[in-house]
């Protein structure tokens, strides 16, 4: 056989092997989602509360709205947590597994919170590439309006912590203390009985640590919702401008808060568009993604999902980043969802034919978010 014949045979063999690992746009799911299927079965059987964390940038937050062509705005708002693909995925899973609440609402979703008094970025803890927000004056408050029967504050316990209270609808305040030695994230759960209605929670800093230049409650975010002993809790962990390095390569104190605290049964790593925009070298992108995979696989499975598609106007095409996701999925026994193939690897198809793009030609509109949520739901729940 000629050299050309050997090459064609090898390519054909590779394609056949590739097809064995493919189901629609999902690759390597038999191995890569095995632990997730087990966690899901236990949750559906009413035995455990399984955890799914979605890490990414503004697309994960839910930026982009409207529908039809490139119509739509990019204004953030509370509804984005429901209308983005993560919120839509959460809603769909809740219909099958039961509604267990919002998951984490980070403090940088500023439209959710009203701060009064002295609050500043803290050097104690953080998540992704952002620090916690610390209430550093007695009487400083954070107000949150929510609907549900439970409410929790996620903060950092540390030697620079402090005491704070949670009061809901003007009721009796419950006191908590974030001063301690763990230097890690902690859930502070309001223990009162709440009806399934709209409520207003006020978090108030009541005591600082004597002798410390800076101390107080270091806030990561809040969670609210219903019963949470069984089912699937989906955490929407992203921020505008996020890149792959910010899940696994930021400073040591942030990493445990980002992954270890949640112990996710499944981590969806959904970056690439910002790495493309800044033209992160592919070798660097590969190393950073590998670090994130290694950390997340301590607790469960990983599904790599490139999110965000934009006009091809840079030296390194955006599809090169998604190829690395696929390569690393196979090397690490992870699953990979080929979002770009779903759009025929074409920005023009995504925008003009499928009408999935918002007005900035980068983010998805409502149609795009719904399509991705539907595809991921099918991959996670019906595979």
């Amino acid at each position: 056989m000629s050299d050309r014949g050997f090459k064609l045979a090898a390519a054909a063999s590779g394609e056949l092997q590739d097809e064995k690992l493919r189901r629609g746009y999902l690759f390597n799911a038999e191995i890569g989602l095995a632990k997730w299927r087990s966690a899901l079965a236990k949750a559906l059987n009413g035995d455990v509360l399984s955890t799914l964390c979605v890490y990414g940038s503004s697309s994960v937050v839910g930026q982009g709205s409207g529908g039809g062509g490139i119509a739509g705005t990019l204004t953030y708002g509370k509804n984005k947590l429901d209308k983005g693909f993560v919120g839509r995925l959460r809603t769909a899973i809740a219909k099958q597994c039961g509604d267990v609440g919002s998951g984490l609402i980070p403090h940088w979703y500023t439209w959710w919170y009203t701060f009064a008094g002295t609050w500043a970025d803290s050097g104690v803890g953080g998540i992704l590439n952002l620090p916690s927000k610390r209430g550093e004056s007695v009487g400083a408050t954070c107000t949150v309006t929510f609907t549900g029967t439970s409410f929790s504050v996620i903060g950092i316990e540390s030697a620079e912590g402090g005491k704070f209270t949670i009061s809901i609808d003007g009721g009796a305040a419950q006191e908590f203390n974030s001063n301690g030695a763990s230097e890690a994230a902690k859930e502070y759960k309001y223990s009162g009985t709440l009806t399934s209605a709209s409520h207003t929670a006020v978090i108030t800093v009541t005591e600082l640590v004597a002798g410390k230049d800076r101390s107080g409650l270091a806030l990561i975010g809040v969670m609210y919702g219903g019963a949470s002993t069984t089912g699937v809790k989906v955490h929407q962990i992203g921020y505008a401008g996020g890149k792959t390095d910010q899940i696994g390569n930021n400073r040591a104190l942030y990493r445990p808060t980002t992954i270890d605290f949640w112990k996710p049964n499944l981590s969806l790593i959904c970056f690439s568009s910002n790495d493309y925009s800044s033209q992160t070298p592919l070798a660097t992108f590969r190393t950073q993604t590998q670090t994130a995979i290694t950390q997340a696989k301590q607790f469960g499975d990983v599904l790599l999902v490139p999110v965000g598609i934009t006009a091809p106007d840079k030296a390194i095409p955006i599809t090169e980043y998604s190829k690395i996701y696929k390569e690393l999925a196979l090397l690490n026994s992870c699953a990979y969802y080929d979002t770009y193939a779903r759009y025929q690897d074409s920005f023009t198809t995504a925008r003009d034919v499928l009408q999935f793009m918002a007005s900035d030609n980068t983010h998805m509109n409502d149609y795009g978010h719904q399509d991705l949520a539907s595809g991921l739901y099918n991959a996670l729940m019906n595979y």
Side-chain angles (χ1 to χ4, degrees):
M1 183 182 293
S2 67
D3 286 346
R4 183 173 182 273
F6 277 119
K7 290 178 181 178
L8 288 173
S13 175
E15 288 174 4
L16 287 173
Q17 181 63 25
D18 197 49
E19 289 305 309
K20 288 181 181 179
L21 298 173
R22 173 199 288 266
R23 180 168 177 173
Y25 298 107
L26 183 66
F27 286 81
N28 207 34
E30 287 291 353
I31 296 173
L33 294 180
K35 291 180 181 179
W36 162 249
R37 289 198 298 274
S38 174
L40 178 61
K42 294 171 185 176
L44 287 169
N45 200 52
D47 295 330
V48 300
L49 177 66
S50 295
T51 302
L52 192 162
C53 288
V54 187
Y55 301 100
S57 57
S58 50
S59 293
V60 163
V61 176
Q63 184 168 346
S65 64
I70 58 171
T73 65
L74 300 174
T75 304
Y76 282 117
K78 290 185 180 181
N79 68 322
K80 295 296 189 291
L81 295 183
D82 299 318
K83 296 186 73 174
F85 80 87
V86 183
R88 293 170 190 259
L89 178 63
R90 180 193 290 120
T91 298
I93 291 175
K95 290 179 179 178
Q96 188 165 348
C97 299
D99 187 356
V100 297
S102 66
L104 176 70
I105 302 176
H107 71 74
W108 55 86
Y109 293 1
T110 53
W111 56 84
W112 210 269
Y113 300 90
T114 300
F115 293 97
T118 303
W119 291 82
D121 288 349
S122 169
V124 177
I127 190 168
L128 290 179
N129 201 43
L130 296 175
S132 56
K133 191 177 185 72
R134 186 162 53 195
E136 297 185 334
S137 62
V138 171
T141 62
C142 173
T143 303
V144 183
T145 300
F146 68 98
T147 299
T149 58
S150 68
F151 183 81
S152 295
V153 168
I154 306 299
I156 302 293
E157 181 182 82
S158 75
E160 298 176 357
K163 291 183 179 179
F164 66 96
T165 61
I166 301 173
S167 174
I168 296 184
D169 299 332
Q174 297 181 11
E175 188 174 66
F176 303 86
N177 191 353
S178 65
N179 181 247
S182 70
E183 301 289 337
K186 184 175 179 179
E187 180 179 6
Y188 302 92
K189 188 175 180 64
Y190 180 83
S191 62
T193 301
L194 301 174
T195 60
S196 183
S198 179
H199 303 283
T200 298
V202 179
I203 305 161
T204 304
V205 177
T206 57
E207 185 177 309
L208 307 180
V209 179
K212 294 282 186 181
D213 290 335
R214 299 182 65 191
S215 63
L217 168 64
L219 178 70
I220 294 294
V222 304
M223 297 189 297
Y224 69 86
S228 57
T229 56
T230 64
V232 176
K233 180 157 281 190
V234 179
H235 297 290
Q236 191 164 351
I237 302 174
Y239 79 97
K243 297 191 294 184
T244 294
D245 69 316
Q246 291 155 354
I247 180 176
N249 294 275
N250 47 353
R251 65 191 190 83
L253 195 56
Y254 285 20
R255 290 198 296 266
T257 309
T258 302
I259 297 178
D260 295 22
F261 173 69
W262 306 106
K263 296 179 173 54
N265 300 100
L266 177 63
S267 296
L268 272 66
I269 298 177
C270 304
F271 297 92
S272 72
S273 59
N274 289 313
D275 288 279
Y276 164 74
S277 296
S278 61
Q279 292 285 277
T280 301
L282 294 178
T284 303
F285 183 77
R286 182 180 287 105
T287 299
Q288 293 168 345
T289 304
Q290 179 62 67
T291 299
I293 291 170
T294 300
Q295 291 174 8
K297 280 182 70 69
Q298 296 176 85
F299 306 104
D301 286 333
V302 171
L303 174 59
L304 298 171
V305 185
V307 172
I309 186 168
T310 187
D313 60 357
K314 297 186 183 299
I316 304 173
I318 195 169
T319 49
E320 291 302 307
Y321 295 96
S322 62
K323 287 179 183 177
I324 289 174
Y325 268 16
K326 184 177 179 181
E327 292 169 10
L328 291 178
L330 298 176
L331 286 172
N332 290 277
S333 298
C334 300
Y336 166 70
Y337 189 84
D338 196 347
T339 316
Y340 298 152
R342 192 175 178 93
Y343 309 147
Q344 300 177 30
D345 288 328
S346 168
F347 167 78
T348 302
T349 297
R351 184 187 65 180
D352 299 337
V353 178
L354 301 175
Q355 298 189 344
F356 285 167
M357 304 305 299
S359 57
D360 68 342
N361 285 334
T362 298
H363 293 87
M364 296 175 289
N365 59 23
D366 288 338
Y367 300 164
H369 279 289
Q370 181 57 62
D371 179 74
L372 182 54
S374 297
L376 290 174
Y377 177 85
N378 187 54
L380 298 178
M381 305 297 288
N382 298 322
Y383 181 71

